[in-house]
Amino acid sequence: MDAIPSRLDTLLIHAGEPMPRIEGAVSIPIFQSATFQYGGQADYHALRYIRLNNTPNHIALHQKLAALENAEAALVTASGMAAITTTLLTLLSVGDHLLAQDCLYGGTHDFVTRALPGFGIEHDFIDPDDPASWETKLRPRTRAIYVETLSNPLLQVADLESVVAFARAHGLVSIVDNTFTSPVNFRPPELGFDLSLHSGTKYLNGHNDLVAGAVIGRGDLVEQIKRQLDLLGGSLDPHAAFLLHRGMKTLAVRVRHQNQSALQIARFLEAHPAVERVHYPGLETHPRHARARSLFDGFGGMLSFDLKGGVEAAERLLGRLTLAISAPSLGGVETLITRPATTSHAGMAPDDRRRLGITDGLVRLSVGIEAPEDLIADFARALAP
Ligand code: PLP
């Protein structure tokens, strides 16, 4: 077949698909085989075995993901946390130092603050909006800088261009968690990031029915991370790989719908008298709206907000809504709503949460693909006095 046209919508359907198609099957079959016939491989990591991340289901996903973000290589993992932890444990070893954004997904924050010190790996948090302050945190053994495209749950937009420039100037590996934006709205390797990580559980799969992760970026780094993953064992099962592959085919249609719905809902909430403040990068009132507009192709389906009545009002809202389901996680076709202080960020010390601006009453919304008018009507009902 001639080269596949490079538009994202077409890559989602055609990139990485086995050619010729297996037995003519339009969808890649599930290769539910732990091991494969020995083919004379000289290298352990090239043996065909599910844990070595090289079944046909893995390979198809690797090629599709790399094509989507215009990157050299990609790797799928058993969860987003497997992608994050395997990456950090590949790049950092005893005595090394990491610079990380101060407001991170709770699991990443816990891993950096509680697990990495046990491996002799130190860290400093940085304000992702204040590049001038980063140099003071550098140490001789600083190896990497880690940020999120849109922070969870406050939807801050890091100064991503400065992160890439800073990493290059100081010989650091630049890593970004691109989960919230998805390749539809942002492709970090195009900006110069070395590695882009995903919780594939969220937008990539999009159906709230599996857990998966991805590492996308420079070929040499992805290969090192694959070898570590082969040993740490956080490999994606072929059945989950098949579902992720299927889910990804509709990524662009879902995310573009979610971009539009989230903006409508954010505007509705911002104008509502019961709402104190809304965090959504698509609102002109967001402090980094201009940056988000220049970096991203869409503002995403995630937003968070505080109600005037704090925790009590938030709990009342969650109890009254009929369409949005009160559950952690995000990025799927069902609208989910949660209070991060009790779910995604429950592991973070309350003082740390407050310092970062994550109030106990903060509500995080992951907009699904329901009709936005219905979601807004549900909010209007649930917020009425
Ligand atoms: N990164 C972000 C931004 C997340 O929100 C999450 C989970 O909520 C993760 C990573 C971890 O992903 P997983 O639950 O697939 O391990």
Side-chain angles (χ1 to χ4, degrees), residues 201-209 247 250-251 253-255 257-258 261 323-325 329-336 366-371 375:
T201 315
K202 321 296 186 202
Y203 288 102
L204 291 180
N205 178 58
H207 291 76
N208 288 320
D209 56 7
T250 55
L251 181 70
V253 207
R254 286 186 278 107
V255 169
H257 180 98
Q258 286 160 320
S261 296
L323 291 177
I325 303 165
S329 202
L330 58 109
V333 292
E334 294 89 3
T335 294
L336 301 183
S366 167
V367 178
I369 61 165
E370 302 93 336
L375 292 171

Side-chain angles (χ1 to χ4, degrees), residues 43-112:
D43 178 9
Y44 170 75
H45 295 274
L47 295 173
R48 307 288 303 280
Y49 186 62
I50 291 176
R51 179 168 48 73
L52 301 178
N53 306 293
N54 54 16
T55 74
N57 294 105
H58 291 104
I59 291 165
L61 275 172
H62 296 166
Q63 291 177 357
K64 197 182 286 290
L65 283 162
L68 289 182
E69 291 202 353
N70 230 333
E72 289 172 5
L75 175 70
V76 286
T77 59
S79 66
M81 282 311 296
I84 294 164
T85 57
T86 309
T87 296
L88 292 177
L89 291 176
T90 305
L91 299 176
L92 305 166
S93 54
V94 61
D96 285 344
H97 175 249
L98 172 73
L99 291 178
Q101 174 168 352
D102 51 8
C103 185
L104 288 170
Y105 163 63
T108 312
H109 183 273
D110 283 3
F111 183 71
V112 168

Side-chain angles (χ1 to χ4, degrees), residues 274-307:
V275 177
E276 179 81 42
R277 88 181 63 79
V278 181
H279 307 278
Y280 184 66
L283 292 176
E284 291 75 9
T285 49
H286 187 285
R288 294 290 171 220
H289 172 68
R291 181 184 290 162
R293 184 172 282 285
S294 83
L295 284 171
F296 307 145
D297 295 337
F299 300 112
M302 296 298 301
L303 56 105
S304 59
F305 55 95
D306 280 294
L307 293 176

Side-chain angles (χ1 to χ4, degrees), residues 78-82 84 105 108 146 148 150 152 177 179-180 198-202 211-213 329-330 344 364:
S79 66
M81 282 311 296
I84 294 164
Y105 163 63
T108 312
Y146 186 108
E148 295 180 354
L150 284 171
N152 181 359
D177 182 330
T179 300
F180 269 40
H198 286 267
S199 167
T201 315
K202 321 296 186 202
V211 172
S329 202
L330 58 109
S344 58
R364 189 189 74 185

